[in-house]
Amino acid sequence: MARLQSCPPLAIRSGHDGWLIDESGRRYFDSVSSWWVNILGHTNRRITEAIVNQANELSHVMLGGCTHEPAVKLAERLSLRTGKHLGHVFFASDGSSAVEIALKQCFHAKAIQGQTARTRFACLRNSYHGETIGALSVTDVPLFQDSYRPLLNDTFIIDSPDTRLDNEDAALKALADLLEKQGHQLCALIIEPRVQCGGGMSMHSSDYLRRVRELTRQ
Ligand SMILES: Cc1ncc(COP(=O)(O)O)c(C=O)c1O
């Protein structure tokens, strides 16, 4: 509450392109795109028109038992982006929900294969995957986790690669050790590909990802 008084929230009235305008007309450059949601700019005309056109046609219908053309088109475009390697799309409403769904699907797939002992997930040290309970369990940022520790699942945290530290081989060795010793409990490993933003923009090579896939396939 003290912080709220000393640093009250900005009352924003409108936004255009990269700028936010407050109630008194003062302009602020939105350098984080309001937490990277508005990367194409505020009140982007094409996006606004598409939302209005769609809302006039069909604002929402459940995807349980129904489908509609925009959902099919988006699914097909996403699949194309993977070279049609991934042929099924499950829509979520935000990043954390997408992570929850992915974790559940991995567990479900293992359970169907009869591998019910695989109840644990692994993530990279300092990784960030969201703040719902499952997503927070595969996050390694104490600031977000500390208040909820007793609610979180017991996740394997493995060393993170970081090109600045030239440690990809060591990070792969840590993964190989985990797989050897506790792989039988592992359901899935979650990685933010190429750059771990929450870990201070630590980057890794696509070769690291390829080698991770080889190890997890074995
Ligand atoms: C890598 C990663 N995963 C998951 C999330 C969670 O997304 P959301 O904030 O939409 O729940 C974020 C959010 O920044 C993210 O950067």
Side-chain angles (χ1 to χ4, degrees):
M1 288 303 277
R3 182 173 152 74
L4 200 59
Q5 275 169 1
S6 66
C7 186
L10 293 174
I12 300 300
R13 195 190 62 224
S14 59
H16 301 289
D17 302 328
W19 296 90
L20 294 168
I21 297 112
D22 75 9
E23 297 286 353
S24 63
R26 194 164 174 183
R27 285 155 62 86
Y28 304 85
F29 185 65
D30 187 2
S31 58
V32 289
S33 310
S34 286
W35 281 341
W36 43 97
V37 170
N38 299 290
I39 53 171
L40 300 177
H42 293 275
T43 49
N44 176 297
R45 186 169 298 170
R46 265 181 74 191
I47 294 175
T48 304
E49 277 173 12
I51 292 170
V52 169
N53 289 342
Q54 183 58 45
N56 277 327
E57 194 67 31
L58 172 71
S59 54
H60 170 254
V61 68
M62 61 200 174
L63 286 178
C66 297
T67 188
H68 55 84
E69 192 181 348
V72 173
K73 276 190 174 160
L74 178 57
E76 284 174 351
R77 284 177 69 181
L78 289 170
S79 177
L80 266 182
R81 286 279 170 138
T82 71
K84 293 198 179 170
H85 180 67
L86 300 178
H88 290 78
V89 173
F90 194 112
F91 290 110
S93 45
D94 54 72
S96 298
S97 311
V99 170
E100 296 289 332
I101 292 163
L103 298 177
K104 285 173 68 184
Q105 286 183 338
C106 290
F107 175 75
H108 204 152
K110 293 289 173 212
I112 287 170
Q113 292 160 11
Q115 302 185 46
T116 47
R118 292 181 179 272
T119 55
R120 297 178 66 182
F121 295 95
C123 69
L124 298 183
R125 194 171 308 290
N126 302 322
S127 59
Y128 180 89
H129 292 288
E131 293 180 52
T132 49
I133 298 297
L136 194 57
S137 297
V138 291
T139 284
D140 183 39
V141 183
L143 173 68
F144 302 126
Q145 291 180 301
D146 281 351
S147 307
Y148 307 102
R149 279 282 169 210
L151 298 180
L152 304 181
N153 302 327
D154 193 11
T155 297
F156 296 118
I157 311 288
I158 54 170
D159 289 348
S160 175
D162 185 337
T163 42
R164 292 168 298 198
L165 304 176
D166 192 20
N167 64 355
E168 288 191 357
D169 286 343
L172 285 160
K173 166 90 172 55
L175 173 60
D177 286 350
L178 170 74
L179 292 173
E180 190 185 323
K181 291 182 192 131
Q182 286 164 298
H184 59 285
Q185 295 175 40
L186 187 64
C187 180
L189 163 67
I190 180 166
I191 296 181
E192 186 179 4
R194 298 307 304 277
V195 56
Q196 274 199 98
C197 302
M201 296 295 170
S202 357
M203 302 192 72
H204 52 258
S205 67
S206 48
D207 187 53
Y208 166 82
L209 288 176
R210 259 191 297 277
R211 290 163 72 194
V212 164
R213 192 66 194 106
E214 279 163 21
L215 285 172
T216 51
R217 243 195 205 113
Q218 282 166 19

